[in-house]
Structures are given as structure tokens and as C-alpha cells.
Amino acid sequence: EQTRAADEIVVVDDGSTDWSVARIRAVAARSAGRVRLVAREHRGAAATINEAVRASGGDWIAILNSDDRFSPVRLETMLRRVAGAGAGWGFSRSECIDADGSVFPPRTGGRVGALRALQDGAASFDTVGLAFVAGNPAISTGALFFSRALFDRVGGFRDLRYVHDWDFCLKASLHDEPVLVSEPLYEYRTHGANTIDTPDGSADAEADELLRAYFRDACHAD
């Protein structure tokens, strides 16, 4: 339903246990080769995204995670605003939707409110790239739009369970300043089964490690 159709769609099924593979194969069979499917055992989000990107042939990458949605104008807008500006990457604002696909109402608290506040604050930093030192205003890999050339320079997504998206953005910011697209062009599904919602502190430990790595790399950047 995009106003600017994708040149190709690469789907990597990360060991799903429902009807996803059969349904995607049916769509791919009708796509005249534009949709390609790889179905294999579970390896995690970072490995899955890296595999999909490396299997693609395009100059620009847009990620769509399995339970999220694109705004119909997302590809057209991101291509114009990011590639058109001569930047190597950028991200759009995300709208939080619930398990049924409905947008959370204004002034919703909890995690939804915290994610909205994180996005609201991104423009207040001296540069958009610096906003990633305080947190991850991109929220999800799905909000990112980046060139294949930048992906290769960064080295793809590191094998982190919770913060591979934030880690990628911090490393990308050392190469190029991102473009922030303020329109909510990505719909991020927020529910009790989100991977980041872990009570054991594992996500915080990963965040501490990635920030140490970022500051170390920043001190040695050209």
C-alpha cells in the first residue's frame, strides 16, 4: 500500500511457529520475483536483519519488523527527506499502537509515555546524533532508513538481544549526522511481549556496555 513501491522485499522468517511462512510464500508466488523469502531456525533480531540486508540489492534499506506497520507514505517520504538531503541515514518518529493496532491516546503514561517523551526531546540537542547519547529516540530498527553503504561501513547490527538498534545508531552517528523526520511514519506495536520488557536487568547491562564502546570509539574517531 506504499505510495512509492519498494523495489524489492526480502523476508527472513526467524523460526516462527505460526502460519507466517505459508502465507508469505503465497504472496511471494504472486510477486513476479519482487518478494523473496528465507525461512530458517531462530537466530535473533540482529542476525535476521543483517541477513536480510545482505541479501538485498538496493542502495537504501527500510526495515519492517514482524508486528509493526509502515505509514503508506513512509518509503516515498524517507527517500525524499533522507536520500534527497544527501545524508547516509535518518529515522522518523514512531507512533505507538496496541496489540489490536489502535493508536494509544494522548497523555498515555508508562512505557508509551516514556517513548513519546524520548522522541519529543531529540530535537533539543545540539545535533540529532547527540540525542542518541541520552537514549534511543529512534525507538526501533523499523524507524530507521539508511544507505547500504553506511550499513557496510558500520558493519551491520551487533549481536545484542535488546539494544542492537541503539548500538547501530550510535556507531552510525560517528560516520554521518542523521536526518530526523518528525512525521510519525512508523507504527510501533507496544505490548507485554516486547523483547525489551525484561525484568532481570539484561537490557540495562547491554546498554552500559554499548555506551562504553561508543565513548571508546568516539575518542578515537577521526
Side-chain angles (χ1 to χ4, degrees):
E1 298 178 352
Q2 290 294 303
T3 55
R4 195 280 191 198
D7 295 321
E8 63 176 347
I9 300 173
V10 179
V11 182
V12 179
D13 183 273
D14 188 38
S16 66
T17 56
D18 56 15
W19 40 258
S20 295
V21 172
R23 186 167 182 179
I24 296 164
R25 280 184 176 146
V27 172
R30 303 191 300 269
S31 73
R34 197 167 66 90
V35 178
R36 288 182 286 139
L37 169 65
V38 176
R40 41 92 170 139
E41 74 284 357
H42 176 72
R43 297 179 192 168
T48 299
I49 294 170
N50 287 337
E51 183 176 353
V53 173
R54 288 169 179 147
S56 69
D59 294 328
W60 290 91
I61 307 296
I63 300 167
L64 177 59
N65 293 313
S66 59
D67 53 354
D68 298 339
R69 296 190 306 216
F70 280 174
S71 161
V73 298
R74 176 169 178 79
L75 295 183
E76 177 185 9
T77 304
M78 296 304 288
L79 193 63
R80 182 179 71 253
R81 300 278 289 278
V82 179
W89 71 294
F91 64 99
S92 73
R93 189 178 178 91
S94 296
E95 186 62 88
C96 292
I97 59 175
D98 63 19
D100 296 323
S102 300
V103 175
F104 283 93
R107 295 182 294 280
T108 298
R111 183 160 180 259
V112 171
L115 293 176
R116 286 173 171 169
L118 193 59
Q119 296 181 95
D120 291 341
S124 66
F125 288 80
D126 289 341
T127 69
V128 175
L130 280 176
F132 286 94
V133 178
N136 179 16
I139 307 301
S140 168
T141 51
L144 303 178
F145 187 79
F146 52 86
S147 70
R148 176 61 185 272
L150 178 75
F151 173 88
D152 290 338
R153 287 201 303 274
V154 169
F157 290 83
R158 195 150 59 103
D159 188 19
L160 298 169
R161 175 171 171 75
Y162 303 104
V163 294
H164 52 281
D165 48 355
W166 189 12
D167 178 76
F168 180 89
C169 292
L170 282 169
K171 290 188 293 186
S173 69
L174 295 175
H175 294 272
D176 196 8
E177 171 68 9
V179 172
L180 170 57
V181 178
S182 59
E183 295 92 330
L185 302 178
Y186 191 73
E187 296 182 352
Y188 175 65
R189 200 177 302 271
T190 309
H191 49 73
N194 288 123
T195 302
I196 196 66
D197 292 330
T198 174
D200 62 3
S202 300
D204 290 338
E206 280 194 356
D208 289 343
E209 193 279 328
L210 79 85
L211 286 170
R212 284 193 295 269
Y214 166 76
F215 286 117
R216 183 180 62 246
D217 293 343
C219 288
H220 294 90
D222 293 334

